[in-house]
């Protein structure tokens, strides 16, 4: 009869629910603010450029129409101006993304690496402070109807502080600190993602009504206040998870950079390097494509053949968010009964590809709303892939790991949004849904890479019957191996 594990080992196998709950409260407030602002800024820019192109002097830019005016006849001068408005909005979003991403690449890399020593609270506070400044600057631009190029200043300040991606990094690292490297970590990381969907569901319809009835200013003020509240909650509510004795051991900048990239290039990680590289390649392709079509989707809805206004866009985004919120965790639990996290990634990638094909083919409101269900079923894709990578990394390097993942977020988004915006601009008159078909192809390519990952991980076990890549033990140090009792394909972790 086996002896019971020591009490402290059993504690390591338990999630710290109280800490997770507090972190999710902070993240929920943060995401509500973000999910109100994103469609607000896109629609505000569209309205500003529309007024400029059509020389609209009949109303203030802060008073949007309920629905978007669409010109159907291509020979109509209004149609050409409408296409110009769409192009200008797309180009401005691209510039904002590039500016914000450029600074965040450096800041997030060092924030993540040093948070393994200085603590996770710092990792929350610095990016949130930058986002607060950005949101208030947006409010100033709307209130005084300033040149939209002033928005570039806010993006630059947010980028150098880590911004949105820095908060995402903090949330994932904090979750990893408070969960054991088993299926509960997959669920914990999934909860972070599904908190995003809950926040989006709570904010999207509100945003639509808000913009319709009160214009752009009051929603912008609301987002700035909510972001300030999330910063206060971190300072007052969130406990530290990094031991104080590590804070005097922080590495040099060169060592910090090596910690972030060592998973993929250092020989210390042995056969795990190829697994890290494969999982990162799959993650890059997924994030590149899905972030790339994010703003394209708004343009797709605002123009022919849909001509949606803020209210209907809000309903659609609420449906996307609610279905992912309610189906996400149950789908993970159900699939864990019969497959591992890599299997979940493969299945959901294929489903997501089908959903984007359906989106690209849509030419009626009903067809566009039919995208919602398969998109929700594919919700576990990103959480499962992040959990795979988190389990392969040592417990004391979770901040460095997620710093690398967030760098991929920033780079893939910085490349994806301009690429898909340009793709949409080039094909909008020929095949409006082409960008979504390209995105579907990326999902399938990612599934192929995960199949290779799965075969490689099994081959690592088969070629050495005495050892296995230790990706399920949070106490492993780089290069160490464990007895062959578990592998990446285990479903009970």
């Amino acid at each position: 009869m086996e002896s019971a594990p020591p009490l402290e080992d059993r504690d390591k196998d338990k999630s710290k629910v109280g800490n997770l709950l507090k972190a999710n409260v902070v993240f929920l407030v943060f995401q509500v603010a973000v999910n109100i602002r994103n469609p607000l800024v896109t629609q505000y820019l569209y309205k500003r450029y529309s007024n400029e192109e059509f020389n609209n002097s009949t109303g203030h830019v802060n008073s949007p129409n309920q629905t978007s005016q669409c010109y159907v006849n291509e020979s109509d001068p209004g149609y050409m101006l409408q296409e110009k408005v769409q192009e200008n909005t797309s180009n401005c979003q691209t510039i904002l993304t590039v500016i914000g991403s450029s600074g965040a690449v450096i800041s997030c890399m060092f924030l993540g690496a040093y948070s393994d020593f200085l603590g996770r609270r710092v990792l929350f506070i610095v990016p949130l402070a930058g986002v607060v400044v950005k949101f208030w600057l947006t409010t100033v631009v709307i209130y005084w109807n300033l040149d939209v190029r002033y928005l570039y200043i806010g993006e630059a300040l947010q980028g150098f502080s880590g911004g949105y991606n820095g908060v995402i990094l903090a949330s994932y690292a904090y979750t990893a600190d408070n969960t054991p490297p088993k299926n509960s970590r997959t669920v914990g990381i999934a909860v972070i993602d599904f908190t995003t969907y809950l926040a989006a569901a709570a904010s999207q319809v509100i945003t639509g009504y808000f913009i319709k009835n009160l214009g752009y200013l009051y929603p912008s003020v609301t987002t700035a206040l909510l972001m300030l509240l999330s910063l206060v909650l971190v300072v007052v509510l969130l406990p530290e998870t990094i031991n104080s004795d590590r804070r005097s051991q922080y590495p040099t900048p060169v060592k910090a950079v090596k910690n972030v990239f060592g998973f993929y290039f250092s020989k210390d990680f042995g056969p795990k390097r190829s697994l890290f590289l494969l999982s990162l390649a799959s993650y890059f392709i997924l994030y590149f494509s899905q972030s790339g079509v994010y703003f394209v989707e708004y343009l797709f809805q605002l123009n022919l053949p849909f001509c949606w206004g803020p209210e209907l866009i809000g309903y659609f985004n609420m449906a996307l968010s609610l279905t992912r919120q309610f189906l996400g965790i149950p789908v993970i639990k159900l699939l864990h009964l019969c497959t591992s996290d890599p299997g979940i990634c493969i299945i959901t990638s294929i489903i997501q590809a089908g959903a984007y094909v359906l989106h690209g083919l849509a030419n009626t409101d009903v067809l566009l709303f039919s995208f919602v269900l398969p998109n929700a079923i594919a919700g576990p894709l990103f959480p499962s892939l992040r959990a795979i990578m988190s389990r392969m990394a040592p417990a004391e390097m979770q901040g460095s790991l997620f710093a690398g993942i967030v760098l991929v977020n920033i780079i893939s988004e910085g490349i994806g949004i301009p690429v898909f915006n340009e793709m949409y601009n080039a094909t909008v008159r020929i095949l409006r849904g082409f960008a979504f078909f390209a995105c579907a192809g990326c999902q399938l390519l990612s599934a192929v890479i995960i199949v290779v990952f799965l075969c490689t991980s099994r081959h690592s076990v088969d070629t050495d019957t005495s050892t296995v890549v230790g990706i399920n033990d949070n106490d492993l140090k780089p290069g160490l191996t464990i007895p062959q009792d578990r592998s990446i394909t285990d479903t009970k972790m």
Side-chain angles (χ1 to χ4, degrees):
M1 183 175 179
E2 295 183 2
S3 60
L7 181 59
E8 62 181 55
D9 288 341
R10 282 180 287 176
D11 289 340
K12 290 180 181 179
D13 289 336
K14 294 181 180 179
S15 299
K16 297 177 182 178
V17 178
N19 287 355
L20 293 173
L21 181 60
K22 293 173 184 176
N24 273 279
V25 169
V26 171
F27 196 63
L28 178 63
V29 175
F30 169 78
Q31 284 291 354
V32 167
V34 169
N35 280 279
I36 292 175
R37 184 185 182 276
N38 282 343
L40 179 141
V41 170
T42 301
Q43 293 176 60
Y44 174 74
L45 290 173
Y46 191 90
K47 182 66 174 179
R48 282 287 299 266
Y49 288 122
S50 179
N51 285 354
E52 290 176 7
E53 295 295 334
F54 287 94
N55 295 318
N56 182 8
S57 59
T58 59
H60 193 271
V61 72
N62 196 36
S63 303
N65 295 324
Q66 180 176 352
T67 58
S68 176
Q69 181 181 6
C70 285
Y71 293 87
V72 179
N73 188 350
E74 295 188 13
S75 62
D76 191 321
Y79 181 89
M80 302 302 295
L81 291 176
Q82 178 179 274
E83 296 296 311
K84 182 65 174 176
V85 168
Q86 186 173 208
E87 182 180 348
N88 288 342
T89 304
S90 174
N91 290 339
C92 185
Q93 289 283 14
T94 298
I95 294 171
L96 290 172
T97 301
V98 171
I99 292 173
S101 299
S102 300
V105 168
I106 303 299
S107 58
C108 284
M109 178 171 61
F110 286 104
L111 280 171
Y114 278 100
S115 74
D116 286 331
F117 301 87
L118 298 179
R120 306 300 187 209
R121 281 164 55 87
V122 172
L123 187 55
F124 275 102
I125 291 171
V126 174
L128 279 171
V131 179
V132 167
V133 173
K134 170 188 169 180
F135 277 36
W136 280 108
L137 185 57
T138 301
T139 303
V140 169
V141 170
I142 293 173
Y143 182 76
W144 275 290
N145 201 29
L146 301 177
D147 191 314
V148 295
R149 286 175 291 186
Y150 280 105
L151 296 175
Y152 301 165
I153 300 173
E155 286 293 337
L157 292 174
Q158 177 200 239
F160 287 118
S161 71
Y164 177 84
N165 288 289
V167 179
I168 297 295
L169 162 59
S171 300
Y172 289 136
Y174 197 84
T175 299
D177 290 343
N178 288 282
T179 53
K182 300 183 179 182
N183 280 350
S184 55
R185 180 165 297 175
T186 305
V187 174
I189 292 175
V191 168
I192 289 290
D193 284 0
F194 298 136
T195 298
T196 303
Y197 307 139
L198 177 62
S203 61
Q204 292 297 346
V205 170
I206 296 173
T207 304
Y209 279 109
F210 224 170
I211 294 174
K212 174 187 171 184
N213 296 314
L214 297 174
Y216 300 103
L217 177 61
Y218 291 105
S220 185
V221 172
T222 301
T223 62
L225 290 173
L226 285 171
M227 196 57 70
L228 183 60
L229 174 61
S230 65
L231 177 59
V232 172
L233 287 174
V234 170
V235 174
V236 174
L237 192 65
L238 210 61
E240 184 57 75
T241 56
I242 301 299
N243 293 331
S244 57
D245 57 356
R246 297 200 70 199
R247 297 178 190 175
S248 60
Q249 305 171 9
Y250 57 87
T252 64
V254 173
K255 177 61 177 175
V257 172
K258 288 182 178 179
N259 286 348
V260 172
F261 295 104
F263 304 103
Y264 316 102
F265 304 109
S266 174
K267 294 181 180 179
D268 291 338
F269 284 88
K272 285 197 289 185
R273 280 189 303 164
S274 60
L275 299 179
F276 272 118
L277 285 169
L278 286 168
S279 57
L280 193 70
S282 176
Y283 188 88
F284 173 84
I285 292 170
L286 288 172
Y287 207 89
F288 161 79
S289 58
Q290 293 195 27
S291 63
V293 298
Y294 180 79
F295 289 112
V296 168
E297 189 164 339
Y298 287 114
L299 298 175
F300 192 74
Q301 295 162 357
L302 285 166
N303 289 280
L304 287 170
F306 306 104
C307 298
W308 285 2
E311 189 175 346
L312 196 50
I313 291 175
Y315 280 125
F316 181 78
N317 289 334
M318 182 191 70
L320 286 177
S321 303
L322 279 179
T323 50
R324 281 209 164 189
Q325 173 66 23
F326 288 120
L327 293 180
I329 300 296
V331 169
I332 289 177
K333 290 289 189 181
L334 181 63
L335 291 177
H336 268 155
L337 296 176
C338 57
T339 188
S340 59
D341 280 340
I344 293 176
C345 291
I346 294 167
I347 294 169
T348 52
S349 291
I350 295 171
I351 295 172
Q352 188 71 73
Y356 278 119
V357 169
L358 187 61
H359 193 298
L361 293 172
N363 56 10
T364 66
D365 291 358
V366 173
L367 282 177
L368 193 52
F369 270 93
S370 67
F371 165 76
V372 170
L373 182 59
N375 181 70
I377 296 173
L381 176 54
F382 277 114
S384 298
L385 194 50
R386 292 185 187 110
I388 289 170
M389 299 176 72
S390 178
R391 280 198 295 270
M392 289 193 293
E396 67 275 9
M397 297 183 70
Q398 292 294 316
S400 298
L401 172 76
F402 283 107
I405 292 176
V406 167
L407 286 180
V408 173
N409 288 359
I410 298 167
I411 294 170
S412 57
E413 184 180 65
I415 298 172
I417 289 178
V419 166
F420 276 87
N421 277 341
E422 291 302 315
M423 187 187 302
Y424 181 74
N425 290 337
T427 60
V428 64
R429 300 183 187 181
I430 305 169
L431 184 61
R432 287 185 179 274
F434 182 82
F436 297 98
F437 300 148
C439 186
C442 290
Q443 313 307 299
L444 294 178
L445 178 58
S446 175
V448 171
I449 294 174
I450 293 298
V451 170
V452 176
F453 172 93
L454 196 55
C455 294
T456 303
S457 65
R458 287 174 173 171
H459 180 71
S460 297
V461 176
D462 294 337
T463 54
D464 187 349
T465 58
S466 63
T467 60
V468 61
V469 176
I471 62 175
N472 293 327
D473 192 331
N474 64 328
D475 290 328
L476 288 176
K477 302 297 186 293
L480 296 184
T481 56
I482 59 175
Q484 185 181 336
D485 56 354
R486 292 179 293 179
S487 75
I488 185 64
T489 56
D490 289 342
T491 58
K492 295 180 179 180
M493 300 180 188

